[in-house]
């Protein structure tokens, strides 16, 4: 690897791409030679990178040879087409889309949980970044899994519109103004009106009547925890919040465990903040705790009164940061330094 790192950000004009650029600068890569890549539509634009502006380059014309890392977040189709080309050119790809997540040959990584998979990877490897909802749920429950195992998880997600990219945020803003001005709203990104509403569909419907977003929570949890015996039963809901996903998680451990042991394990876990307080004003929310932060926050931790091994918790995280851009940069940082980017 050359002295000055060469890093490409694919989808640099998008919601996650912009966050990748600012987190790269924050996480010690401000001196790297960074290429901001997007479509021809963005030719002539500039994007912020630390104290610099970068001219946007067109992905189609870009040669990945000489690039050490490429962070992809421009949609699954773009990753399927260009990530293997980048990898063949010797550039290590960290892909934020679902294109490669379930490929058994490709590591699916949350550094705090299975960062060991990053050891000894060759240049030109592809690494997959998990789904935003999976990442924050696993940061919260991995400490419980480590000490007591988990048989089953029921989870309802309350997901912000930034998960649908900049167009999702624009649709919420536009519909909110239209509703308040008594105008008709016209859904386009989302299947139903999103302003002042909750939509129980994210991603496409599957043959089993779950959505793909819901099944990702199951598939990715099993892969990351390396345990196919866990059942994840999810309902994924889009709500009119700009940044930060929330999740009501109800799980059953495999072994008996006291709530004191659970609290202790969660307090020690990297990247996780447990607020153990029953005051309504202390409860964590997407807007007050998650948005703009690196950690995943948990409150409402309690024993499920209907099951002796049941545990309930409320989890919030910034879906654009830890759920996407930050996790990708942490993977990059761990590969460059060989160290865990998050202190315990
Ligand atoms: P562009 O702005 O040029 O369309 P978001 O998820 O916030 O909607 O962002 C999607 C990102 O993916 C944007 O940076 C967008 O660039 C990029 N993108 C979309 N289609 C292409 C493409 N065909 N080639 C390169 N980048 C693309």
């Amino acid at each position: 690897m050359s002295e000055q790192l060469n890093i490409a950000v694919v989808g640099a004009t998008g919601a996650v791409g912009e966050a990748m650029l600012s987190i790269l600068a924050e996480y010690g890569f401000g001196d790297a030679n960074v290429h901001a890549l997007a479509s021809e539509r963005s030719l002539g634009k500039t994007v912020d990178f630390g104290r610099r502006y970068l001219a946007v380059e067109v992905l189609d014309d870009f040669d990945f040879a000489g690039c050490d890392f490429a962070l992809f977040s421009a949609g699954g189709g773009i990753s399927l087409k260009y990530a293997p080309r980048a990898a063949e050119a010797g550039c290590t790809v960290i892909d934020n889309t679902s294109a490669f997540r379930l490929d058994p040959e490709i590591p699916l990584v949350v550094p705090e949980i299975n960062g060991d998979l990053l050891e000894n990877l060759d240049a030109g490897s592809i690494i997959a970044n998990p789904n935003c909802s999976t990442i924050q749920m696993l940061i919260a429950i991995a400490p419980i899994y480590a000490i007591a195992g988990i048989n089953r998880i029921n989870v309802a997600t309350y997901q912000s519109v930034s998960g649908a990219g900049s167009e999702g945020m624009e649709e919420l803003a536009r519909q909110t103004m239209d509703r308040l001005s008594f105008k008709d709203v016209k859904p386009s990104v989302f299947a139903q009106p999103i302003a002042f509403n909750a939509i129980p569909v994210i991603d496409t419907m599957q043959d089993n009547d779950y959505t793909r977003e819901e099944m990702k929570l199951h598939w990715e949890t099993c892969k990351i925890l390396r345990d196919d015996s866990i059942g994840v039963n999810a309902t994924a809901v889009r709500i009119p919040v700009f940044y930060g996903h929330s999740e009501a998680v109800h799980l059953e451990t495999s072994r008996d465990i006291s709530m004191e042991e659970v609290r202790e394990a969660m307090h020690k876990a990297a990247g996780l903040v447990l607020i153990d307080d029953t005051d309504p004003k202390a409860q964590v929310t997407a807007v007050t705790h998650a948005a703009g932060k690196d950690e995943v926050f948990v409150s409402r931790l309690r024993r499920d009164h209907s099951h002796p091994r049941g545990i309930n918790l409320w989890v919030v995280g910034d879906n654009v940061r830890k759920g996407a851009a930050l996790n990708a940069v942490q993977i990059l940082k761990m590969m460059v330094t060989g160290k865990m980017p998050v202190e315990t």
Side-chain angles (χ1 to χ4, degrees), residues 42-84:
S42 297
L43 200 58
K45 288 188 188 164
T46 57
V47 288
D48 289 352
F49 176 59
R51 294 198 193 129
R52 290 188 267 155
Y53 295 105
L54 305 176
V56 175
E57 299 171 67
V58 177
L59 171 64
D60 239 348
D61 305 334
F62 188 71
D63 181 3
F64 284 92
C67 236
D68 302 296
F69 289 95
L71 305 181
F72 274 71
S73 193
I78 298 288
S79 290
L80 282 171
K81 184 170 172 192
Y82 292 93

Side-chain angles (χ1 to χ4, degrees), residues 65-311:
C67 236
D68 302 296
F69 289 95
L71 305 181
F72 274 71
S73 193
I78 298 288
S79 290
L80 282 171
K81 184 170 172 192
Y82 292 93
R85 289 190 200 173
E88 272 161 34
C91 169
T92 298
V93 171
I94 302 168
D95 183 44
N96 188 53
T97 75
S98 58
F100 305 103
R101 286 182 191 148
L102 301 179
D103 183 329
E105 303 298 318
I106 291 186
L108 180 65
V109 176
V110 181
E112 295 89 335
I113 300 171
N114 61 348
D116 55 294
L117 296 182
L118 299 174
E119 282 165 24
N120 307 319
L121 285 180
D122 295 328
S125 298
I126 298 179
I127 299 129
N129 212 35
N131 180 254
C132 43
S133 303
T134 312
I135 293 177
Q136 71 176 64
M137 183 176 82
L138 288 190
I139 288 285
I141 65 161
I144 306 175
Y145 179 80
I147 54 173
I150 292 175
N151 290 337
R152 191 154 177 266
I153 302 168
N154 281 300
V155 54
T157 70
Y158 305 78
Q159 299 186 211
S160 68
V161 293
S162 51
S166 38
E167 287 180 357
M169 291 190 281
E170 283 156 20
E171 182 146 311
L172 173 58
R174 195 171 49 248
Q175 286 186 6
T176 303
M177 287 188 290
D178 287 347
R179 277 264 189 251
L180 292 173
S181 336
F182 304 100
K183 288 189 194 154
D184 288 342
V185 300
K186 294 183 192 69
S188 140
V189 175
F190 304 111
Q192 304 269 354
I194 183 64
F196 308 103
N197 202 5
I199 307 172
V201 180
I202 301 180
D203 211 336
T204 51
M205 277 295 172
Q206 306 294 285
D207 289 344
N208 63 359
D209 294 346
Y210 284 80
T211 64
R212 203 169 162 72
E213 185 80 358
E214 290 159 353
M215 291 312 298
K216 283 176 197 167
L217 273 152
H218 173 73
W219 296 323
E220 296 179 17
T221 295
C222 293
K223 181 166 174 177
I224 294 164
L225 294 179
R226 294 170 255 205
D227 183 349
D228 286 336
S229 71
I230 304 174
V232 182
N233 179 39
T235 299
V237 181
R238 186 75 71 191
I239 58 161
V241 162
F242 283 100
Y243 290 102
H245 289 354
S246 307
E247 297 176 341
V249 178
H250 312 102
L251 61 87
E252 291 164 22
T253 57
S254 315
R255 297 180 286 285
D256 289 338
I257 181 103
S258 72
M259 291 308 292
E260 286 65 38
E261 287 170 286
V262 169
R263 283 190 185 94
E264 197 188 330
M266 291 179 82
H267 277 306
K268 280 191 205 148
L272 176 61
V273 177
L274 169 64
I275 305 286
D276 206 8
D277 189 333
T278 52
D279 181 347
K281 289 200 178 112
Q283 303 316 307
V284 300
T285 76
V287 172
T288 54
H289 292 73
K293 302 277 176 32
D294 288 358
E295 296 88 355
V296 168
F297 296 82
V298 169
S299 67
R300 302 295 323 279
L301 177 68
R302 64 205 189 276
R303 172 68 75 202
D304 172 352
H305 74 90
S306 68
H307 192 286
R309 282 178 281 105
I311 295 171

